[in-house]
């Protein structure tokens, strides 16, 4: 069982994030990114019998990792609906929320999901395979300017306009259906020495757009602000600058845009106080054991 879980997803900053949740007897906790269940299982292991854990995941593959425990409720939903589903279960306030925003290694290793340029297959990238548009829909139907904006904003690619132009030209001749089709178009846009890094950015940008990741994160963070009780903890692990900026802004100013509202004395009015002023990163041992932790940043805040 452990081998299956580890091939699905090795939890990043496990001890640091769960310690940051500050588990107490009788607490109500939420893991908004269940995935392989690594963080959730450790939370359950440390919880007492009167506590309860709600774990969210929109991916049907995550259901294979569900834990049989009366203290556990699995919610098959995007975490953007955190507020709605907690109300559905009669939960008004929670003691801590954990979010690991990394994409599971399971997704990158599944050629059918279309998340990785290492395999050929359908250009899909949906976290929820039951609904929504695919990456193929995006590259075939979005206007050229909109594509360029996506590559620039979500992939931070300097040649975003050239990429969008090449895609628009290619799709006018025939639809872009597979990862192979897509790579034939975009690979010539990059030098061989930086090809893998640049392609990773291209795929990241498409994945973020397909799954509306920035919009979903914004909604989840706003919901977390509402449902955390005073003294409750928010622990978030990020992997790229866009999501990290949103999390940092929320914790410092109370909103993802980072617009500080000050009182008469110039003090920033925010519902949070930082638990760790300095971002927590993986140590060398964890990075050597789990390379994906290299880019991970953990931020923890407490509701005032």
């Amino acid at each position: 069982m452990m081998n299956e879980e580890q091939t699905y997803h090795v939890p990043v900053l496990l001890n640091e994030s769960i310690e940051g949740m500050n588990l107490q007897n009788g607490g109500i906790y939420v893991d908004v990114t269940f995935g392989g269940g690594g963080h959730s299982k450790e939370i359950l292991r440390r919880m007492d019998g009167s506590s309860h854990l709600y774990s969210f995941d929109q991916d049907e593959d995550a259901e294979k990792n569900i834990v049989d425990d009366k203290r556990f409720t699995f919610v098959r939903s995007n975490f953007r609906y955190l507020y709605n589903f907690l109300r559905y279960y009669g939960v008004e306030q929670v003691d801590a929320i954990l979010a690991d925003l990394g994409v599971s290694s399971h997704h990158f290793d599944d050629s059918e999901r279309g998340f990785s340029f290492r395999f050929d297959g359908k250009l899909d990238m949906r976290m929820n395979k039951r609904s929504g548009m695919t990456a193929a829909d995006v590259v075939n139907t979005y206007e050229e300017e909109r594509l360029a904006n996506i590559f620039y904003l979500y992939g931070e690619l300097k040649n975003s306009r050239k990429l969008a132009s090449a895609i628009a030209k290619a799709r006018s001749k025939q639809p872009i259906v597979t990862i192979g089709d897509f790579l034939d178009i975009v690979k010539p846009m990059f030098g061989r020495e930086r090809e893998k890094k640049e392609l990773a950015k291209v795929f990241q940008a498409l994945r973020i757009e397909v799954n509306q990741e920035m919009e979903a994160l914004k909604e989840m963070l706003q919901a977390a602000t509402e449902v955390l009780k005073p003294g409750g903890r928010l622990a978030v692990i990020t992997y790229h600058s866009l999501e990290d900026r949103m999390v940092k802004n929320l914790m410092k100013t109370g909103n993802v845009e980072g617009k500080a509202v000050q009182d008469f004395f110039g003090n920033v009015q925010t519902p949070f106080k930082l638990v760790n002023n300095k971002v927590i990163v993986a140590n060398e041992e964890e990075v050597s054991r789990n390379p994906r932790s290299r880019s991970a940043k953990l931020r923890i805040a407490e509701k005032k």
Side-chain angles (χ1 to χ4, degrees):
M1 180 65 188
M2 183 57 74
N3 287 337
E4 283 183 26
E5 178 187 317
Q6 289 189 351
T7 56
Y8 188 100
H9 180 75
V10 180
V12 170
L13 294 167
L14 182 63
N15 289 323
E16 295 88 343
S17 58
I18 295 175
E19 284 172 9
M21 293 176 73
N22 193 30
L23 304 183
Q24 305 289 328
N25 291 345
I28 298 176
Y29 305 106
V30 183
D31 176 358
V32 296
T33 47
F34 180 70
H39 286 100
S40 283
K41 289 171 186 175
E42 184 63 18
I43 293 168
L44 286 166
R45 192 183 71 79
R46 300 189 192 191
M47 269 173 28
D48 76 314
S50 61
S51 296
H52 200 88
L53 172 65
Y54 295 87
S55 292
F56 284 66
D57 208 295
Q58 63 183 329
D59 184 1
E60 65 184 33
D61 289 353
E63 292 188 38
K64 300 169 187 173
N65 306 307
I66 289 177
V67 184
D68 183 14
D69 191 316
K70 64 181 182 181
R71 303 171 300 160
F72 176 77
T73 299
F74 180 78
V75 184
R76 186 175 172 182
S77 171
N78 188 306
F79 61 36
R80 72 194 306 169
Y81 304 116
L82 170 67
Y83 183 90
N84 296 25
F85 273 97
L86 288 178
R87 289 295 178 274
Y88 173 78
Y89 286 104
V91 177
E92 294 293 326
Q93 290 187 310
V94 302
D95 294 274
I97 297 170
L98 171 66
D100 177 358
L101 303 179
V103 178
S104 171
S105 51
H106 163 78
H107 291 123
F108 287 119
D109 293 337
D110 185 348
S111 60
E112 294 298 311
R113 302 298 293 270
F115 284 93
S116 174
F117 52 82
R118 291 183 291 130
F119 310 104
D120 197 8
K122 292 180 180 178
L123 194 60
D124 195 317
M125 298 195 192
R126 289 173 299 168
M127 292 289 187
N128 183 348
K129 294 186 286 186
R130 299 168 300 161
S131 64
M133 64 169 53
T134 67
D137 294 328
V138 170
V139 298
N140 283 296
T141 64
Y142 277 26
E143 291 181 0
E144 186 177 324
E145 184 177 359
R146 190 176 178 187
L147 277 178
N149 289 338
I150 288 167
F151 292 131
Y152 183 75
L153 291 172
Y154 297 157
E156 298 177 298
L157 288 148
K158 294 177 181 177
N159 63 342
S160 59
R161 293 193 179 280
K162 288 184 179 179
L163 272 171
S165 176
I167 290 167
K169 186 177 180 181
R171 74 188 184 192
S172 68
K173 298 173 183 175
Q174 62 181 49
I176 304 163
V177 179
T178 67
I179 294 170
D181 295 340
F182 186 64
L183 288 177
D184 287 342
I185 300 162
V186 299
K187 258 190 174 183
M189 311 294 292
F190 305 111
R192 186 167 293 276
E193 69 284 351
R194 288 190 54 81
E195 184 179 87
K196 285 186 178 180
K197 283 191 175 182
E198 298 300 300
L199 285 175
K201 291 180 180 179
V202 172
F203 274 63
Q204 171 184 289
L206 278 178
R207 189 200 77 226
I208 288 173
E209 176 64 18
V210 166
N211 296 288
Q212 296 186 306
E213 291 180 27
M214 294 298 103
E215 294 89 342
L217 177 58
K218 179 179 180 179
E219 289 176 30
M220 185 276 287
L221 291 172
Q222 290 171 336
T225 304
E226 293 183 49
V227 301
L228 277 170
K229 63 174 59 172
R233 295 284 185 89
L234 174 63
V236 186
I237 304 170
T238 64
Y239 295 82
H240 60 76
S241 59
L242 293 169
E243 59 192 15
D244 185 57
R245 192 178 305 126
M246 290 175 70
V247 173
K248 181 171 66 174
N249 284 343
L250 179 93
M251 291 181 174
K252 287 188 173 181
T253 67
N255 59 76
V256 297
E257 294 80 16
K259 296 176 182 175
V261 178
Q262 298 180 336
D263 63 15
F264 179 78
F265 301 101
N267 300 308
V268 176
Q269 297 297 288
T270 171
F272 291 104
K273 63 178 180 181
L274 299 179
V275 173
N276 57 317
N277 286 312
K278 189 177 180 182
V279 68
I280 298 170
V281 297
N283 59 32
E284 290 181 12
E285 182 185 348
E286 178 168 2
V287 172
S288 64
R289 194 172 64 243
N290 185 8
R292 67 186 295 275
S293 67
R294 186 182 303 278
S295 58
K297 293 180 179 179
L298 169 62
R299 297 185 186 273
I300 306 164
E302 185 173 292
K303 182 83 175 286
K304 290 180 180 178

